[in-house]
Amino acid sequence: MSTEDDDTPNEGLVPENFAYRVEGARFARIQSDAWKESFKPVSHYLFVTGFGCMDVVSGGKPLFSLVDRPG
């Protein structure tokens, strides 16, 4: 999780959504160029979790599944 101020624009963020693919963010720009070259193409994903967020740079795409909660 990034604790730094980010210059990423908030354009395109949709209220109540959980996951985004982000382009041009500082978080992705400052990651290791060697790592990004080794795993290219890589994408930056932002997962909003309540009042925080988790940034992920990955060569893979996220996969989501719905899971029933015992009631």
Side-chain angles (χ1 to χ4, degrees):
M1 280 177 71
S2 177
T3 57
E4 301 174 1
D5 288 333
D6 198 346
D7 58 359
T8 305
N10 290 331
E11 296 172 19
L13 298 184
V14 179
E16 307 301 324
N17 278 17
F18 166 70
Y20 301 91
R21 189 170 57 95
V22 182
E23 295 180 9
R26 182 175 183 271
F27 179 84
R29 289 193 314 264
I30 64 173
Q31 302 308 308
S32 164
D33 288 331
W35 183 89
K36 291 187 287 189
E37 182 65 26
S38 296
F39 292 96
K40 72 179 180 183
V42 298
S43 296
H44 175 197
Y45 299 97
L46 173 66
F47 300 97
V48 179
T49 56
F51 293 104
C53 69
M54 180 174 61
D55 289 281
V56 175
V57 178
S58 175
K61 294 182 180 179
L63 176 67
F64 300 97
S65 299
L66 296 177
V67 178
D68 287 331
R69 238 174 75 171

